[in-house]
């Protein structure tokens, strides 16, 4: 049905061309489920967008290759010919259902577009058809939802709407570009099941683009592995997992986090706890109307107690909106809350921000996004050394540089990188810089808020190893916030599961993973182990 | 509002000059001047005058013009429609020029067409009103004889002042339209729209334009406010009997109540336009509607 031959692609103009695809070839049968796997920058999304010619005009060049779909060469088709294929024979869904729907139109308005365009249906007929499809994708009360705006729907519902829209004209091929990456694990499972059901019902082929090997294993028939713009391996799914041929595939498979908890010999349970929170509450009020009166509130953190020992990693798990990040912010007094917080037996509540400031070097934060959390106009030396200037002002410039270089080497970067700016680094390197910035202050506690969620699996593995190594050397305690249960399992000594601001279960890591008590934990684990 | 009124009241009285002197001329007798001053209430302490003015204002009484003795409310009522007319006409000119220009530039981004459009708009921003106005008069009225030089007698009289005011506004607006469209065209939902097979025209007009309209509306609102009060230069060049023209006349004659009333009108229009802009926002973007 679809065959891509010797496809090469370059971005940019004239001399500055940057080739991102190198002679990629693969083909798909009708009704087949093919997964295109690779890390960021491997060219998997670029390949998919080429099929529909969705790249910005004038930005891409194809030195060689062809994309043939049902006998039509899409690469050399005119824009008008391509438009007849888009949305009718080949449809696409994207990673971010949040931003993939136009915020200013009701979903119904957007849903009817493909049918009215490609099948010349009237609005009323298209509406009737789409409401049926919405129903089939599991949207409750589809006739009411039809007039809702995208922001009124949950993330999972929006992705269902996207799927309904893609299926409107019964496409022969559905391209799904990371369709579940932006969703919570339990929702991920539902969406994948829905895609599976729809594939059976409509008999279309699905080209699944993903970085997640767990999804590949459950979902696809055949796998193509891509690395740096080249197709390095193509195999039926079972063969790939049993006997990977290419060393890169091997690396990918090995990058999955260890499925066992770290040993807790370094945890000092005999000493008083490093951090203690008692009866923590944090409420956000909702104000509305002309006079901004309080009309409701959301309890982000609800009657929570926790302790963290020296050298221990406490994993906090929950889906988006569960309050896990807010709790972290509260514990470090970066967010106001009620209740008592003790750090090394000192009460933090009641101290002013000015009084807290000298203590802050002992408890530090690493954020999720290494792209936006580093100032783009500062050099690595300035970023890493900034904390020292504040907390240890007596150091001379030369001493400071010495410390910066030592710390950079400790996190696996090189001394000559101090002059460079963040944009010159990869995601993994940036996260190392962010860790270096924190480690240089010799903290006793680090709050890690989804520290590896934005990273590729192979890089994630390295960063996690670095964090474990640092913990053993410096006896640091970690508060490890994550939605990824596999990562949490490999990192944490103890795990807390949060839902709607409350702790619903806490236990030693292995106990929790082997015998979860609460039904929510069970469903979370089921979804996580599948995906 | 009270702050605006008081500030203007103080400023106008600080400015040197005497309305009585302007009215009677320099050769007038001292006794006559005193009599007139008393009749107009200008001999009272400043605070008493201010209090009197605020009290009257609260009752909707704008007072009388010192110069013509006419009711100020009727002067304003006569002049305001002219300003309004001019502001709306210029706005129309601006939108008609800017929308296609900005869209065209965004559509053909980084081509010679884009650069030409933006060069043209740069020219529009740079040309001062007091130069463009007379130039247009020279060409269209005096040389070609198509349009009247000044006044507000016929419909065709509005064309030149509206063109003068609209050019600068169109230039700013075109840049705004281009910039916000370019930003919107990078959004994920534009890619979704293209993936459905919609044509570039539908993508641009339906999916991109309405989103791009938000920042454009902001600028439009601010500029409209400025037009309602600040078209002073253009109104004078074309002898357009609007609020701006009135204001300058009143300042020259030290006609205190008229100056105050004119400024009051201008600030009031700003506030109203601001509220209107918010309403338009809510019409464009459903997320804002929900938050209200």
């Amino acid at each position: 049905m679809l065959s891509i031959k010797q496809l090469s692609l370059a971005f940019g103009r004239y001399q500055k061309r940057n080739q991102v695809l190198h002679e990629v070839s693969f083909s798909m049968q009708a009704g087949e489920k093919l997964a295109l796997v690779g890390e960021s920058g491997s060219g998997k999304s670029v390949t998919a967008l080429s099929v529909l010619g969705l790249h910005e005009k004038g930005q891409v060049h194809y030195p060689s290759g062809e994309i043939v779909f049902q006998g039509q060469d899409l690469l050399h088709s005119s824009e008008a010919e391509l438009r007849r294929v888009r949305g009718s024979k080949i449809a696409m869904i994207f990673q971010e259902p949040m931003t993939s729907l136009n915020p200013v139109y009701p979903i119904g308005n957007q849903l009817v577009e493909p049918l009215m365009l490609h099948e010349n249906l009237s609005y009323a007929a298209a509406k009737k058809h789409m409401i049926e499809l919405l129903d089939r994708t599991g949207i409750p009360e589809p006739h009411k939802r039809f007039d809702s705006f995208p922001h009124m729907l949950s993330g999972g519902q929006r992705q269902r709407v996207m799927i309904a829209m893609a299926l409107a004209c019964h496409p022969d091929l559905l391209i799904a570009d990371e369709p579940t990456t932006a969703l919570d694990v339990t929702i991920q499972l539902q969406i994948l099941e829905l895609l599976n059901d729809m594939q059976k019902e409509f008999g279309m082929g699905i080209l699944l683009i993903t970085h997640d090997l767990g999804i590949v294993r459950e979902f696809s028939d055949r796998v193509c592995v891509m690395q740096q713009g080249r197709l390095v391996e193509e195999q039926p799914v079972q063969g790939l997992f049993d006997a990977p041929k290419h060393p890169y595939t091997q690396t990918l498979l090995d990058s999955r986090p260890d499925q066992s908890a770290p040993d807790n010999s370094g945890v000092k349970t005999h000493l008083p706890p490093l951090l203690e929170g008692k009866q923590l509450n944090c409420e956000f009020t909702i104000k509305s109307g002309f006079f901004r009166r309080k009309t409701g509130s959301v309890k982000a953190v609800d009657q929570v107690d926790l302790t963290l020992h020296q050298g221990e990693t406490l994993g906090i798990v929950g889906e988006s909106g569960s309050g896990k990040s807010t709790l972290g912010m509260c514990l470090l007094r970066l967010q106001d809350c009620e209740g008592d917080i003790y750090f090394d037996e000192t009460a933090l509540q009641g101290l002013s921000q000015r009084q807290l400031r000298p203590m802050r070097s002992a408890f530090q934060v690493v954020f999720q996004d290494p792209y936006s959390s580093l100032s783009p106009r500062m050099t690595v030396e300035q970023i890493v050394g900034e904390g020292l200037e504040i907390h240890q002002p007596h150091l001379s410039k030369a001493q400071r540089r010495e410390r910066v270089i030592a710390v950079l080497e400790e996190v696996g970067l090189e001394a000559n990188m101090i002059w460079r700016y963040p944009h010159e680094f990869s995601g993994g390197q940036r996260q190392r810089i962010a860790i270096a910035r924190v480690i240089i202050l010799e903290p006793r506690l680090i709050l890690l808020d989804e520290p590896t969620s934005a990273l590729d699996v192979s890089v994630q593995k390295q960063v996690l190893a670095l964090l474990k190594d640092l913990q053993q050397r410096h006896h640091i305690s970690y508060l490890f916030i994550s939605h990824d249960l596999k990562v949490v399992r490999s990192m944490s000594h103890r795990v807390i599961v949060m839902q709607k601001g409350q702790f619903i279960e806490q236990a030693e890591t292995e106990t929790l993973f082997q015998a979860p008590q609460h039904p929510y934990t069970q469903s979370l684990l089921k979804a996580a182990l599948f995906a | 509002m009270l702050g605006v009124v008081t500030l203007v009241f103080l400023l106008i009285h600080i400015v040197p000059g005497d309305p009585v002197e302007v009215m009677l001329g320099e050769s007038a007798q001292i006794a006559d001047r005193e009599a007139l001053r008393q009749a107009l209430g200008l001999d009272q302490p400043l605070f008493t005058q201010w209090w009197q003015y605020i009290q009257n204002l609260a009752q909707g009484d704008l007072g009388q013009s010192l110069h013509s003795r006419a009711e100020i409310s009727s002067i304003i009522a006569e002049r305001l429609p002219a300003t309004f007319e001019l502001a709306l006409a210029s706005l129309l000119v601006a939108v008609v020029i800017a929308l296609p220009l900005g869209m065209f530039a965004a559509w053909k981004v980084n081509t010679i067409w884009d650069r030409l459009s933006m060069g043209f708009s740069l020219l529009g921003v740079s040309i001062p009103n007091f130069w463009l106005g007379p130039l247009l008069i020279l060409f269209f009225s005096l040389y070609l004889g198509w349009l009247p030089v000044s006044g507000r007698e016929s419909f065709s009289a509005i064309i030149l002042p509206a063109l003068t005011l609209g050019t600068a506004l169109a230039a700013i607006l075109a840049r705004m339209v281009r910039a916000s469209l370019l930003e919107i065209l990078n959004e994920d939902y534009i890619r979704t729209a293209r993936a459905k097979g919609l044509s570039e025209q539908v993508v641009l007009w339906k999916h991109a334009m309405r989103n791009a309209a938000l920042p454009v509306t902001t600028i439009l609102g601010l500029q409209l406010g400025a037009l309602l009060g600040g078209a002073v230069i253009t109104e004078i060049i074309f002898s357009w009997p609007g609020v701006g023209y009135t204001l300058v006349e009143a300042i020259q004659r030290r006609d205190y109540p008229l100056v105050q009333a004119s400024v009051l009108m201008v600030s009031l229009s700003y506030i109203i336009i601001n509220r209107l802009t918010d309403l338009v926002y809510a019409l464009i973007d459903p997320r804002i509607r929900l938050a209200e």
Side-chain angles (χ1 to χ4, degrees):
Chain A
M1 174 177 60
L2 175 75
S3 107
I4 295 179
K5 280 186 195 141
Q6 308 280 314
L7 183 69
S8 295
L9 182 152
F11 282 122
R13 325 165 147 240
Y14 315 116
Q15 259 65 50
K16 286 189 212 150
R17 276 194 197 172
N18 177 18
Q19 191 162 355
V20 293
L21 287 184
H22 304 270
E23 307 203 331
V24 171
S25 305
F26 64 89
S27 62
M28 265 182 88
Q29 303 300 314
E32 190 183 23
K33 289 187 284 183
L34 179 72
L36 211 52
V37 182
E39 299 187 289
S40 53
S42 62
K44 54 194 196 303
S45 286
V46 173
T47 308
L49 289 174
S50 297
V51 173
L52 280 179
L54 284 177
H55 289 294
E56 281 294 312
K57 275 174 292 180
Q59 299 284 324
V60 290
H61 299 273
Y62 297 95
S64 75
E66 58 179 27
I67 302 174
V68 179
F69 174 75
Q70 297 178 341
Q72 183 186 357
D73 186 353
L74 295 179
L75 203 54
H76 302 103
S77 292
S78 72
E79 191 59 21
E81 286 167 329
L82 273 175
R83 278 205 299 270
R84 277 198 289 279
V85 176
R86 289 179 196 152
S88 67
K89 294 204 177 93
I90 305 179
M92 192 160 178
I93 56 175
F94 302 95
Q95 172 170 354
E96 270 290 350
M98 180 84 165
T99 54
S100 294
L101 291 165
N102 196 331
V104 300
Y105 293 104
I107 57 163
N109 182 315
Q110 303 176 52
L111 277 165
V112 296
E113 278 179 333
L115 277 177
M116 291 173 70
L117 179 74
H118 295 295
E119 312 211 337
N120 286 320
L121 290 189
S122 68
Y123 177 80
K127 179 175 174 177
K128 187 167 165 282
H129 190 92
M130 288 320 292
I131 286 180
E132 277 167 29
L133 249 180
L134 278 183
D135 193 33
R136 291 240 283 286
T137 56
I139 299 268
E141 300 188 281
H143 50 285
K144 278 189 194 160
R145 284 289 167 211
F146 194 77
D147 295 318
S148 300
F149 286 94
H151 67 269
M152 301 167 167
L153 306 179
S154 69
Q157 284 176 331
R158 286 191 203 120
Q159 198 60 297
R160 284 170 200 272
V161 169
M162 286 296 291
I163 291 172
M165 192 151 76
L167 297 181
C169 299
H170 289 251
D172 297 319
L173 173 63
L174 175 68
I175 302 175
D177 190 355
E178 304 265 9
T180 60
T181 307
L183 304 172
D184 280 328
V185 276
T186 48
I187 312 291
Q188 273 188 19
L189 179 62
Q190 293 167 10
I191 293 291
L192 283 174
E193 280 170 353
L194 174 68
L195 277 176
N196 243 335
D197 292 347
M198 290 291 146
Q199 194 269 338
K200 277 186 202 126
E201 197 177 324
F202 287 73
M204 68 210 162
I206 294 185
L207 179 59
L208 175 77
I209 292 149
T210 183
H211 68 282
D212 191 329
L213 286 163
I215 293 179
V216 171
R217 179 177 218 154
E218 292 300 322
F219 188 79
S220 51
D221 306 324
R222 213 149 51 86
V223 189
C224 292
V225 181
M226 289 188 74
Q227 182 197 16
Q228 292 173 2
R230 288 188 172 81
L231 199 111
V232 296
E233 181 160 358
E234 188 181 341
Q235 275 221 55
V237 68
Q238 207 48 50
L240 185 100
F241 280 91
D242 292 346
K245 287 180 206 144
H246 195 274
Y248 177 69
T249 315
Q250 187 64 53
T251 318
L252 272 187
L253 290 171
D254 289 345
S255 301
R256 288 175 294 174
D258 309 332
Q259 288 312 298
S260 60
D263 77 294
N264 46 9
S265 54
V267 184
K268 298 183 171 143
T269 37
H270 54 281
L271 295 176
L274 181 69
L275 181 75
E276 233 185 324
K278 284 181 182 160
Q279 300 277 308
L280 296 180
N281 277 301
C282 178
E283 206 176 50
F284 293 109
T285 52
I286 302 165
K287 290 175 180 167
S288 63
F290 187 69
F291 296 105
R292 309 267 100 205
R293 263 182 314 217
K294 184 182 158 183
T295 51
S297 62
V298 178
K299 280 192 174 171
V301 176
D302 192 2
Q303 293 289 345
V304 159
D305 296 289
L306 105 180
T307 54
L308 175 67
H309 293 280
Q310 251 181 61
E312 186 185 34
T313 302
L314 178 60
I316 302 178
V317 177
E319 297 190 283
S320 50
S322 60
K324 54 190 194 302
S325 287
T326 311
L327 173 64
M329 292 292 154
C330 286
L331 285 167
L332 302 195
R333 287 282 322 267
L334 292 169
Q335 163 74 46
D336 287 330
C337 67
E338 288 165 24
D340 297 319
I341 303 165
Y342 299 94
F343 179 79
D344 203 16
E345 303 188 299
T346 314
L348 296 189
Q349 287 291 53
L351 293 183
S352 69
Q353 289 295 339
R354 182 191 290 267
Q355 288 168 312
L356 270 172
R357 217 166 289 150
M359 302 177 64
R360 285 216 179 271
S361 66
F363 43 93
Q364 290 286 315
V365 197
V366 174
F367 294 104
Q368 168 174 359
D369 192 347
Y371 291 90
S372 58
S373 56
L374 301 177
S375 168
R377 306 215 193 290
M378 286 167 77
T379 63
V380 170
E381 182 180 17
Q382 288 169 330
I383 291 171
V384 176
E386 195 182 22
L388 277 187
E389 265 174 65
I390 296 158
H391 290 286
Q392 295 174 35
H394 56 274
L395 291 180
S396 74
K397 228 177 170 176
Q399 283 172 314
R400 208 154 59 213
R401 173 163 298 166
E402 223 168 85
R403 288 278 302 278
V404 170
I405 291 174
V407 158
L408 284 181
E409 281 169 351
E410 187 166 12
V411 299
L413 297 171
E414 283 157 34
N416 60 16
M417 290 175 175
I418 55 172
W419 307 109
R420 298 215 237 150
Y421 289 88
H423 70 265
E424 299 171 57
F425 293 92
S426 69
Q429 286 176 316
R430 285 185 215 208
Q431 205 59 311
R432 282 173 198 269
I433 295 171
I435 292 168
R437 163 171 72 178
V438 162
I439 291 293
I440 200 167
L441 299 172
E442 296 166 354
R444 303 178 60 196
L445 164 69
I446 303 180
L447 170 64
L448 301 162
D449 193 348
E450 305 264 11
T452 60
S453 301
L455 304 177
D456 282 323
V457 276
S458 57
V459 181
Q460 166 172 295
K461 186 178 170 101
Q462 295 162 11
V463 171
L464 291 179
L466 170 67
L467 287 171
K468 275 189 192 172
D469 186 43
L470 289 171
Q471 177 166 53
Q472 264 161 16
R473 253 186 285 160
H474 302 290
H475 309 291
I476 310 169
S477 305
Y478 291 144
L479 263 178
F480 193 90
I481 296 174
S482 181
H483 69 283
D484 188 333
L485 284 131
K486 283 180 273 191
V487 172
V488 168
R489 185 176 193 174
S490 74
M491 283 298 289
S492 324
H493 303 105
R494 264 189 312 136
V495 178
I496 288 171
V497 181
M498 275 188 90
Q499 188 187 24
K500 292 175 188 162
Q502 291 174 325
F503 288 180
I504 57 165
E505 188 163 356
Q506 57 177 310
E508 301 282 318
T509 306
E510 279 313 302
T511 320
L512 186 103
F513 274 82
Q514 273 156 24
Q517 300 298 313
H518 196 280
Y520 177 71
T521 314
Q522 288 164 2
S523 70
L524 213 57
L525 282 178
K526 182 181 161 242
L529 297 181
F530 168 87
Chain B
M1 229 35 221
L2 187 71
V4 172
V5 172
T6 310
L7 193 69
V8 173
F9 187 88
L10 282 175
L11 277 178
I12 187 83
H13 281 91
I14 287 169
V15 176
D18 184 352
V20 173
E21 202 161 284
V22 177
M23 286 158 82
L24 295 181
E26 281 177 29
S27 55
Q29 298 293 315
I30 290 178
D32 291 344
R33 292 189 188 191
E34 283 311 313
L36 184 61
R37 210 182 291 277
Q38 215 160 15
L40 296 174
L42 292 173
D43 56 341
Q44 302 286 321
L46 205 56
F47 181 77
T48 320
Q49 285 187 45
W50 174 79
W51 181 238
Q52 187 63 42
Y53 181 67
I54 294 294
Q55 274 181 325
N56 290 341
L57 202 61
Q59 292 161 16
D61 180 8
L62 289 170
Q64 291 176 338
S65 161
L66 295 182
H67 180 73
S68 65
R69 313 298 300 157
E71 281 295 325
I72 286 177
S73 42
S74 63
I75 298 179
I76 295 284
E78 187 190 312
R79 300 291 173 96
L80 206 56
T83 290
F84 230 77
E85 210 176 281
L86 183 58
L88 286 181
S90 335
L91 203 66
L92 194 73
V93 169
V95 171
V96 165
I97 298 176
L99 219 55
L101 197 67
M103 285 176 78
F104 186 65
W107 190 32
K108 301 262 175 201
V109 66
N110 288 335
T111 62
I112 183 80
W113 299 111
D114 178 24
R115 256 159 251 154
L116 270 178
S117 317
M118 285 306 106
F120 179 75
S121 111
L122 192 67
L123 203 68
V125 186
S126 318
I127 295 176
N129 282 347
F130 59 79
W131 186 76
L132 182 63
L135 200 74
L136 288 175
I137 295 178
L138 264 177
F139 189 71
F140 286 103
S141 311
L142 302 182
Y143 181 68
L144 291 175
W146 289 353
L147 299 165
V149 176
S150 64
R152 195 194 163 208
E153 275 71 49
S154 59
F155 171 75
S156 55
I158 200 170
I159 295 176
L160 288 185
L163 215 57
T164 310
L165 277 174
T167 310
L169 183 54
I172 300 169
L173 218 56
R175 286 188 164 256
M176 200 68 207
V177 169
R178 174 180 178 271
S180 38
L181 260 182
L182 282 183
E183 201 172 301
I184 299 292
L185 285 176
N186 274 322
E187 295 282 342
D188 287 349
Y189 50 81
I190 296 299
R191 194 180 52 191
T192 310
R194 287 196 178 126
K196 284 184 216 171
L198 297 175
S199 67
E200 279 304 300
Q201 280 77 5
V202 178
V203 169
L204 204 62
W205 278 104
K206 182 183 169 185
H207 286 274
M209 234 7 240
R210 186 154 159 195
N211 284 288
L214 270 184
V216 173
T217 312
T218 315
I219 295 292
L220 215 57
L222 284 173
Q223 293 292 331
L224 187 63
L227 276 184
L228 283 178
V232 178
I233 294 170
T234 311
E235 287 190 0
I236 288 173
I237 293 171
F238 292 97
S239 306
W240 187 262
V243 175
Y245 190 65
T246 313
L247 183 61
V248 172
E249 241 179 21
I251 290 173
Q252 279 165 355
R253 291 176 181 151
R254 300 290 182 274
D255 196 339
Y256 296 154
L258 190 54
V259 174
Q260 282 155 20
S262 305
V263 175
L264 203 64
M265 284 304 122
V266 172
S267 38
L268 203 65
S269 345
Y270 250 109
I271 292 172
I272 292 171
I273 296 287
N274 253 318
R275 277 313 289 176
L276 279 178
T277 315
D278 285 352
L279 285 178
V280 173
Y281 267 20
L283 277 180
I284 296 172
D285 194 334
R287 285 166 297 183
I288 295 170
R289 226 175 295 168
L290 196 76
E292 268 298 308

